[in-house]
Amino acid sequence: MCDDRLCSHCQEYCEQCGERYCPYCCERHACANTQDPCYRDPYEGRPVREPFTFGLEIEVDGNHDTDMLRNHRLIAGWCPDGSLHHDGSLEYQSEPMTMSQLTEIRRLVERIATDTDNTLSGGHMHISRTGRQTPARWYWALEALDGTQCEALNMRHMTDTRWCELIHGDYCGKDTAINDTHRHTIEFRTFGPWHHDTAGRLDAAVHYMHAMWRFFQKFPVPKLKTRDIQAMSRVAATQAINDTNATTAGRRRI
């Protein structure tokens, strides 16, 4: 812990040990470091035809039903987050998930409600890494999307938020849309918070990421041209959004 003098409003509260820390120390002190998630292999016990997995970091800003999230089988761990400033805020890390678990995680997200507007939180998504899943390929995919598509996919790299800037060649750190610093996954920080108001966009977001992941897997590096990546990205986004809207409308009629 550093010796910075902070008022109570500037400090972060650790629910695990009850101590208060500065925003930088809160994620680094000993108690938080013991809360590393223990992830399960989603393919354990069944053949792997396609090693695509996705995981969510669900930041919840403010007081909320912590038991509902902590006790859910798809939540692997949780910890404080220095970017969240309301009492009761936590970040939850999901298990790696296959497409078969998308409905279950969406139903959980639909139940997340807080006493704040969640404007400072995010919903970062991790996808499984392979040699063909490069940050440069994904840069051109995200760069091709327009504002309407980004909103429908709960992406925010076209906004002025400082936490997910989309810059060609900048794929490292906590303020990039694409973070390439993890060993087994690529992290997409472009996604906004996941809660009851945004749950309807989760299916489209995951289906888009899955479609682009499969597209990239078909072509060795560097056998794809930028224009082809961008054309596929726009088609994949439109298809994912339209399919999700149709499915949602069907659920409402039932």
Side-chain angles (χ1 to χ4, degrees), residues 53-128:
T53 60
F54 71 98
L56 299 181
E57 296 177 17
I58 304 173
E59 298 176 0
V60 187
D61 196 12
N63 292 313
H64 59 282
D65 188 346
T66 57
D67 288 339
M68 176 190 72
L69 287 158
R70 290 177 176 179
N71 295 328
H72 197 278
R73 74 182 195 93
L74 291 181
I75 298 300
W78 54 86
C79 64
D81 188 284
S83 67
L84 305 177
H85 302 291
H86 292 99
D87 288 341
S89 300
L90 284 174
E91 174 194 294
Y92 298 86
Q93 301 90 27
S94 80
E95 297 282 358
M97 295 173 284
T98 65
M99 294 299 291
S100 65
Q101 293 162 305
L102 176 54
T103 297
E104 185 177 1
I105 192 65
R106 173 179 45 77
R107 288 174 176 168
L108 174 63
V109 169
E110 288 173 342
R111 298 166 59 195
I112 298 175
T114 72
D115 55 2
T116 69
D117 58 10
N118 266 276
T119 55
L120 295 177
S121 55
H124 310 155
M125 186 183 299
H126 290 249
I127 64 168
S128 46

Side-chain angles (χ1 to χ4, degrees), residues 156-157 161-166 174-177 189-190:
R156 54 188 183 167
H157 58 267
T161 179
R162 56 166 290 205
W163 299 111
C164 55
E165 294 184 81
L166 184 64
K174 299 266 184 197
D175 56 357
T176 61
R189 300 177 59 83
T190 176

Side-chain angles (χ1 to χ4, degrees), residues 43 45-50:
Y43 293 106
R46 52 189 172 132
V48 180
R49 291 182 299 175
E50 179 187 280

